[in-house]
Amino acid sequence: MKKHIIFALLLGCMAINAHAETPTPLQYHFSNTLIKSIRNCYRYNEEFTKINPDLADVGAMCQRINIRIQGIQADNLCHATIVHKTQNMGKTTYKCKLNRSQRNELYNAIMTRSSEPITSTFTIFEEYEDENGNIYREPTIKTMTDSLINITIEKLKQNACTTEYEEPNEKEQKQFAEYVLTFSEDFQNKLQTCSPAEEYIKTPYLTKPIKIIGKETNTCVIDSSAFIYHIPMSEIYKLTNYDQLSVFATDPQIAKYVPAPDLRYTLFALDACLKEEEYTSPTNTQMINAIQMTKQTISHNQDHNCVLKYREEVSRPDYYEEYETVCIFSDEEIADLISPYQKVLNSSSRLKPSGGAAKAGIDLYKILDKREYCKLNNL
């Protein structure tokens, strides 16, 4: 099993976007002891996922995060190690050395306790290796829109930490593949004859339907939500698991992308229109093998009309697609549309919509679509 499919499923488990250009952050919780240890560099060890419900929800399947602060060392820097361990999917270790200024910056970001988006431009130092094997660091300017804590963590990760990734061994990969990726025997039998059936990718946190529609012109039509496949019957014997299905998705002649806007941010986009502000949601990026799918919601007020756009980009080897679902309607309608959701609007982060805000987004889009305000464009 390839490492990229491991990462694709990890992204799915986390429901977003790690690796997104503008990640949707979890609402972190820091224990008082950890906060004191960060500020003063006291020796301390904590399993971070135990006190973070959002991380703990995916932790049983996807990750455990352990933070170990080792104290001030001979170089007068605060040494700390953060380990992200994934069940049957390897682990990533960050080894960090923070000076007093960096510790204070992290402490202040924690104490701000804000998940509201800000935009920050800062310098990071990326490592490069020349043709002789010499390693050197080059400054790069980076602009990032996210919560203050995520921006601070990104700066420290780039400038004060080294990263080591340990791949899962063959036994761990096999266990994960058997649990998650492999289709059931009954579904595989239905595939061989292309008989209608339905299967799910089996994880506690990701349920993805795979449906066999039936035969069409010597192909088997399969719906996996993101793509509609027309797999030649002569190739269907190769299909026994999700990894193999995703390989077929790299071929645009076989797999057709099905546009599906990210509706979770609709409520915030409409609220911004009402206030005559521009709105740009976090970018949600998902990788499936060599395919990258990116979604984003934007809005602005133009001549007392709300212009709401749901953007989708799909990049496959040698093939690129871009879609935009555009909804245009009078801003006079917005107040009535969002008035039932004022409590949800006031209590939900624009970076990480609550369940209520996400549901409101879906309901609002249905209303806009029913009124025929929305149109899908293939750009």
Side-chain angles (χ1 to χ4, degrees), residues 155-172:
K155 289 168 63 177
L156 295 178
K157 187 174 71 173
Q158 295 289 341
N159 294 331
C161 305
T162 60
T163 306
E164 299 174 1
Y165 175 71
E166 183 180 323
E167 293 201 39
N169 57 41
E170 291 185 8
K171 181 180 178 181
E172 290 173 328

Side-chain angles (χ1 to χ4, degrees), residues 259-298:
D262 186 352
L263 305 177
R264 294 173 298 163
Y265 302 93
T266 304
L267 178 60
F268 306 122
L270 296 189
D271 182 56
C273 263
L274 183 63
K275 297 174 181 175
E276 298 188 5
E277 300 172 348
E278 293 187 356
Y279 176 76
T280 302
S281 77
T283 302
N284 180 12
T285 301
Q286 182 182 7
M287 295 294 299
I288 300 179
N289 281 335
I291 303 168
Q292 177 173 294
M293 296 177 289
T294 303
K295 300 183 181 185
Q296 190 172 41
T297 302
I298 64 173

Side-chain angles (χ1 to χ4, degrees), residues 244-257:
Q244 292 160 347
L245 180 64
S246 63
V247 171
F248 280 113
T250 61
D251 186 345
Q253 300 301 314
I254 291 178
K256 181 180 179 181
Y257 178 72

Side-chain angles (χ1 to χ4, degrees), residues 14 24 58 128 146 149 152 172 184 273 304 358 367 371-372:
M14 297 188 74
T24 302
V58 297
Y128 294 87
D146 208 320
I149 184 63
T152 303
E172 290 173 328
S184 67
C273 263
H304 300 292
I367 294 172
R371 294 179 183 178
E372 299 184 348

Side-chain angles (χ1 to χ4, degrees), residues 104-237:
N104 288 340
E105 185 178 11
L106 178 57
Y107 173 79
N108 290 332
I110 292 170
M111 298 308 294
T112 301
R113 303 185 190 280
S114 173
S115 60
E116 289 304 308
I118 62 171
T119 298
S120 176
T121 298
F122 50 91
T123 301
I124 62 175
F125 291 85
E126 296 185 343
E127 286 192 351
Y128 294 87
E129 183 175 352
D130 64 20
E131 57 186 12
N132 297 318
N134 299 315
I135 303 294
Y136 62 97
R137 288 160 60 84
E138 183 173 293
T140 301
I141 302 299
K142 180 171 183 175
T143 298
M144 182 175 175
T145 300
D146 208 320
S147 63
L148 176 61
I149 184 63
N150 273 4
I151 290 173
T152 303
I153 290 172
E154 178 66 16
K155 289 168 63 177
L156 295 178
K157 187 174 71 173
Q158 295 289 341
N159 294 331
C161 305
T162 60
T163 306
E164 299 174 1
Y165 175 71
E166 183 180 323
E167 293 201 39
N169 57 41
E170 291 185 8
K171 181 180 178 181
E172 290 173 328
Q173 291 188 34
K174 184 178 179 181
Q175 288 174 341
F176 184 73
E178 288 176 350
Y179 178 63
V180 177
L181 299 176
T182 302
F183 297 139
S184 67
E185 183 178 350
D186 180 66
F187 191 76
Q188 290 185 49
N189 290 336
K190 295 287 180 61
L191 276 170
Q192 300 311 305
T193 57
C194 196
S195 302
E198 190 168 298
E199 181 78 306
Y200 292 86
I201 300 302
K202 303 174 288 294
T203 81
Y205 312 103
L206 175 65
T207 302
K208 186 178 180 65
I210 309 292
K211 299 178 182 178
I212 304 172
I213 307 301
K215 292 181 182 179
E216 183 181 305
T217 319
N218 295 320
T219 66
C220 185
V221 182
I222 299 173
D223 181 357
S224 74
S225 299
F227 295 93
I228 297 290
Y229 299 82
H230 287 75
I231 301 176
M233 289 302 298
S234 60
E235 300 288 307
I236 206 70
Y237 73 94

